[in-house]
Amino acid sequence: MSAAQFNKPVRKAVFPVAGLGTRFLPATKAIPKELLPIVDRPLIQYAVDEAREAGIEEFIFVTGRGKTAIVEHFDTAFELEATMTGRGKSLDPLEPTRILPGNLVTVRQQVPLGLGHAIWCARAIVGDEPFAIFLPDELMHGSPGCMAQMVEAYNEVGGNLISVLEVPHEDVSSYGVIDPGAANGALTEVKGLVEKPKVEDAPSNLIVSGRYILQPEVMRLLENQSKGAGGEIQLTDSMARMIGTQPFHAVTFAGRRFDCGSKLGFVEATLALALEREDMGAEVRELASRMLAG
Ligand code: G1P
């Protein structure tokens, strides 16, 4: 098993964005949860920025009904731009939404059968190349970004990589959990993977945190993956089947992670990012202190 076989550059990324967002109703009745803003950028924008920074060129969105606005966000808004230009306003705020023509592809997941199924829906576009996956609910905040850190590790060891972080032991049942092998700095060998284990069965408290670099062989395994935790086709189960056939490592992200799939995490991210902003951080701090003192 030589790493050299599994080290083609990572150019494509899959963003599963078909979820219904029921935890944020009624906000998400007509608006995809990926477009809820953290300060002034929709959640999906943070994931796309992180991908771009890591050298990703092609963006594959696995969408579903009612999710078209996500694609609109990354399209050219002719009327808006013409009107803004006419009024002498800068188009700079729109810069992050620009994706080269042809580099954004959408595929539909017609039925919600699980994360593994969502990824499998992108198989024809991914083709025979390694690819990244971003779960946009997880806002990974750091510099360099999480995927850039993973690509750096990938350039060393190749194969498959997932980002991991430690959670309190009692929380492991909500996540994919790794069975860790030898560690070397931020890199840990992955000996096993289990999706949403019972607390007493979990091999560690290191959880899979929503960023992946995978070899295309995983698509073949997803093809015949039986249902796992929650009756869903789980990506974790197919990844587990690759261990031992290809290099498999975990990267501990040096940075902060916000779980924006939960309301508390969403508020935490909003506050943390607003406090860091050069244009408003000081005012937000003052405002927050005033509110807390009152
Ligand atoms: C998914 C993955 C899980 C991972 C988690 C991170 O679970 O299946 O392995 O730990 O994302 O957010 P979900 O949150 O979709 O249940």
Side-chain angles (χ1 to χ4, degrees):
M1 185 165 57
S2 106
Q5 283 173 265
F6 302 110
N7 65 356
K8 280 195 207 165
V10 185
R11 301 183 311 112
K12 299 181 178 180
V14 179
F15 300 77
V17 291
L20 295 175
T22 50
R23 278 198 268 177
F24 280 87
L25 284 169
T28 48
K29 188 178 173 200
I31 296 170
K33 68 170 172 178
E34 294 79 7
L35 290 185
L36 297 179
I38 303 282
V39 190
D40 52 9
R41 289 176 167 229
L43 203 42
I44 187 72
Q45 184 74 60
Y46 291 91
V48 165
D49 291 351
E50 183 192 329
R52 229 191 297 250
E53 182 209 7
I56 298 295
E57 295 162 10
E58 236 182 88
F59 303 83
I60 306 165
F61 289 3
V62 183
T63 70
R65 284 168 62 76
K67 294 289 187 144
T68 320
I70 300 176
V71 182
E72 301 258 335
H73 175 76
F74 292 103
D75 198 2
T76 304
F78 178 76
E79 301 86 338
L80 178 66
E81 294 191 16
T83 308
M84 287 173 72
T85 306
R87 290 179 185 165
K89 285 196 193 304
S90 161
L91 297 181
D92 288 352
L94 295 174
E95 232 16 77
T97 69
R98 302 194 194 284
I99 290 180
L100 279 181
N103 280 8
L104 188 159
V105 180
T106 64
V107 293
R108 288 239 180 176
Q109 183 188 25
Q110 285 103 339
V111 273
L113 296 180
L115 177 61
H117 178 257
I119 300 304
W120 179 75
C121 288
R123 67 199 176 284
I125 318 294
V126 165
D128 200 24
E129 289 187 35
F131 63 105
I133 301 173
F134 292 77
L135 308 190
D137 274 2
E138 305 273 348
L139 199 165
M140 306 298 260
H141 184 55
S143 183
C146 183
M147 188 53 71
Q149 293 179 24
M150 290 173 72
V151 166
E152 198 189 318
Y154 177 79
N155 291 338
E156 262 177 57
V157 293
N160 303 272
L161 286 139
I162 48 182
S163 69
V164 294
L165 54 91
E166 264 185 79
V167 297
H169 231 293
E170 59 272 23
D171 293 346
V172 291
S173 308
S174 308
Y175 301 101
V177 180
I178 73 161
D179 181 3
N184 177 8
L187 213 55
T188 304
E189 197 189 324
V190 177
K191 290 196 305 185
L193 275 163
V194 45
E195 182 68 16
K196 303 193 173 67
K198 288 191 194 145
V199 172
E200 59 272 27
D201 298 339
S204 74
N205 64 338
L206 286 172
I207 60 130
V208 181
S209 65
R211 298 292 184 273
Y212 311 72
I213 293 176
L214 298 177
Q215 298 299 316
E217 286 76 18
V218 74
M219 292 296 192
R220 255 79 81 195
L221 298 172
L222 284 168
E223 184 109 30
N224 60 19
Q225 183 61 54
S226 43
K227 290 179 180 170
E232 297 192 335
I233 298 174
Q234 296 290 356
L235 177 62
T236 302
D237 294 342
S238 287
M239 292 194 303
R241 288 159 66 201
M242 299 221 283
I243 297 168
T245 67
Q246 295 184 1
F248 215 118
H249 292 89
V251 177
T252 305
F253 170 50
R256 290 173 80 185
R257 166 249 190 186
F258 302 102
D259 173 13
C260 294
S262 84
K263 288 177 212 180
L264 203 61
F266 197 91
V267 173
E268 186 191 6
T270 304
L271 194 55
L273 270 58
L275 283 168
E276 280 185 17
R277 289 265 296 243
E278 266 177 33
D279 59 342
M280 61 192 291
E283 281 166 287
V284 174
R285 188 169 304 274
E286 208 181 295
L287 183 145
S289 330
R290 229 183 309 132
M291 287 170 91
L292 291 172

